[in-house]
Amino acid sequence: MADQHLRVVVHDYSGHPGQMQLSRTLACHGHDVIYQHCPSYVTGKGAVERLPSDPETLTFEPFPMKSEFNRYSVVHRVTQEVQYGLQVGRRLTEEKPDVAVLSNVPLLAHALLCVRLRRHQIPMVFWHQDIYSSAISATARKKLGALGGVVAWLAEGIERFIARSSAAIVAISPTFFDKLNEWGVGDRTTVIPNWAPIAELPVQPRRNEWSERFGLSDVPVVMYSGTLGLKHDPSILSHIATRLAGQRPEARVVVITEGMGRTWLETWQKEHGATNLVLLDFQSYEDLPLMLGSADVLVAILEPDASKFSVPSKVLTYLCTQRAIMGVIPPDNSVAEILVSHHAGVVVDPSRRDEVADEVVRLLGDDALRARMGQAGRDYAEATFSPERAAEQFEAIFGHILASS
């Protein structure tokens, strides 16, 4: 398929690094690639603008909303998703690609895109990063009771429609198969695990320009970076900060995030006078290696009921940094298994949250252990992460779709 010239749209709503790197690799293989994302969605972004090394066959098309995406307001979110789906759908059909790869698109917008693409006979690859309906269902049932069951039914119906409308599905974990088989689409699913753009994440010294800028060079740093939403528990970070204030008062818990979890931590910080908790906005992608390199321990969090429908891909980025990782993740999650089997970090089940701070204190007190874990993680990343391999797998999927059409 690499020798067959295709016109491909990769639409990644979130603008994450892996999707951007796949787009660049496909373009380097000679395909015309249009990369699209939504800059109004606030999260950690990849290098979503043209680089000097980018081939001419790569085009960038951002689709901003009229205002920042309001993920926590039902009325505003529905309105924004519908508007976004209609806007992107019109542009997708104008581009007339041979195939469209869609990733991280909110359910209502994605459903509208499915209808539009099917009407214009453009095959769609559903790059399945999260089973959104499972996440929505878990939250709705907790907060809305009986009405939550209706919301769950609607969400699953929409996501099932999206999956069944797809020419092919790329799942990031085999744990997705139970749900995909239930929807009758397991036979058109390929598992391609996520990876991190290791070439863009060189190992950095602990003391660097970023750590100096924020006064973190000479203190122990426990860092969380990334989305802190409904499938994460921010109180775990406050628990770590409380313990360190008593046992390692010089240490800092640095949290780089925005949104609901950040707001919760700001309130907690004010109520408890937690001067050892440092809250920062998302940093530029160019600063990411220096920022992560400023940490002694990197923290990842995933709630137990999210383990089957989500993979905390931030851990893959962490693995590139040569730093020890504290994973507050169910042990059956795929990234938890990586950390344990490759000795790249410590995993504690979220149900045993009281043990998390103990482990953080232990890691901060053992330089040699942190160094071994960090090296093991980097070794795993160097041996495993390959955008070339992923691009070849996607090309094989494209070839199968087009041969069957």
Side-chain angles (χ1 to χ4, degrees):
M1 177 55 61
D3 59 352
Q4 182 178 348
H5 179 87
L6 297 178
R7 186 170 178 80
V8 180
V9 168
V10 177
H11 185 94
D12 178 45
Y13 178 80
S14 301
H16 283 161
Q19 286 79 351
M20 185 67 257
Q21 198 172 46
L22 176 74
S23 301
R24 287 192 160 95
T25 305
L26 290 173
C28 287
H29 286 191
H31 305 295
D32 283 328
V33 180
I34 302 103
Y35 172 80
Q36 303 172 338
H37 77 105
C38 178
S40 306
Y41 180 71
V42 179
T43 185
K45 302 280 188 181
V48 294
E49 297 177 349
R50 175 166 290 281
L51 302 177
S53 58
D54 285 338
E56 293 299 318
T57 52
L58 179 61
T59 304
F60 295 81
E61 287 187 353
F63 284 89
M65 294 178 175
K66 294 179 180 178
S67 59
E68 182 180 306
F69 182 59
N70 194 338
R71 71 179 83 177
Y72 301 119
S73 168
V74 175
V75 174
H76 285 95
R77 177 169 182 154
V78 168
T79 302
Q80 286 179 310
E81 285 194 32
V82 170
Q83 291 173 343
Y84 189 81
L86 294 173
Q87 176 193 16
V88 175
R90 286 191 295 269
R91 185 58 182 156
L92 270 176
T93 51
E94 289 172 0
E95 294 287 6
K96 298 180 180 177
D98 296 300
V99 62
V101 180
L102 271 60
S103 179
N104 291 311
V105 183
L107 291 184
L108 284 177
H110 201 157
L112 290 170
L113 292 175
C114 283
V115 173
R116 183 91 179 190
L117 290 170
R118 189 159 61 177
R119 185 185 306 153
H120 289 263
Q121 298 182 318
I122 298 171
M124 180 186 75
V125 176
F126 181 11
W127 195 354
H128 210 183
Q129 296 285 324
D130 289 279
I131 304 178
Y132 280 153
S133 59
S134 295
I136 293 169
S137 297
T139 302
R141 291 181 192 278
K142 283 181 182 178
K143 294 190 173 184
L144 302 176
L147 180 59
V150 177
V151 174
W153 177 79
L154 287 170
E156 178 157 353
I158 293 171
E159 193 160 20
R160 182 175 59 243
F161 166 77
I162 293 167
R164 290 180 175 177
S165 300
S166 304
I169 298 166
V170 171
I172 64 171
S173 170
T175 59
F176 288 18
F177 264 112
D178 286 348
K179 182 59 69 175
L180 294 170
N181 283 326
E182 180 184 321
W183 291 344
V185 294
D187 60 343
R188 71 182 83 163
T189 299
T190 303
V191 174
I192 302 178
N194 277 348
W195 69 95
I198 189 168
E200 300 170 14
L201 294 166
V203 176
Q204 299 292 334
R206 174 64 177 77
R207 179 186 292 272
N208 60 59
E209 177 188 336
W210 194 90
S211 68
E212 292 285 339
R213 189 189 315 160
F214 291 98
L216 299 171
S217 294
D218 299 312
V219 295
V221 172
V222 178
M223 181 179 291
Y224 178 97
S225 173
T227 302
L228 195 58
L230 297 176
K231 59 187 178 184
H232 316 94
D233 182 357
S235 70
I236 289 173
L237 297 168
S238 67
H239 187 58
I240 294 172
T242 299
R243 179 66 63 84
L244 291 179
Q247 293 189 243
R248 296 292 299 268
E250 77 282 12
R252 296 292 180 267
V253 178
V254 180
V255 182
I256 299 100
T257 192
E258 299 176 41
M260 182 178 287
R262 165 71 174 270
T263 302
W264 188 94
L265 285 171
E266 287 174 342
T267 301
W268 180 87
Q269 183 185 49
K270 290 176 183 176
E271 291 175 350
H272 293 81
T275 57
N276 67 336
L277 177 62
V278 179
L279 302 175
L280 300 174
D281 290 344
F282 286 119
Q283 303 292 293
S284 69
Y285 188 70
E286 292 75 18
D287 278 343
L288 184 63
L290 293 170
M291 181 191 82
L292 296 176
S294 301
D296 296 290
V297 177
L298 293 164
V299 179
I301 300 171
L302 187 68
E303 286 291 273
D305 58 6
S307 188
K308 286 291 182 74
F309 60 76
S310 183
V311 176
S313 295
K314 65 170 63 65
V315 175
L316 304 180
T317 300
Y318 286 177
L319 287 166
C320 300
T321 64
Q322 207 167 296
R323 298 293 185 270
I325 300 170
M326 176 72 249
V328 191
I329 306 167
D332 62 349
N333 191 271
S334 59
V335 295
E337 293 169 357
I338 291 171
L339 293 179
V340 171
S341 62
H342 292 272
H343 309 288
V346 176
V347 173
V348 174
D349 193 297
S351 64
R352 296 159 58 191
R353 51 181 293 129
D354 290 343
E355 298 177 17
V356 174
D358 293 335
E359 290 294 339
V360 170
V361 171
R362 181 172 73 91
L363 287 171
L364 287 180
D366 194 333
D367 295 350
L369 176 60
R370 293 200 314 276
R372 289 196 300 273
M373 287 180 171
Q375 187 62 57
R378 180 72 186 192
D379 289 345
Y380 173 84
E382 290 179 350
T384 307
F385 298 162
S386 172
E388 282 289 335
R389 186 182 307 123
E392 290 168 1
Q393 290 175 287
F394 270 90
E395 287 174 325
I397 292 168
F398 299 161
H400 179 73
I401 291 172
L402 297 175
S404 302
S405 61

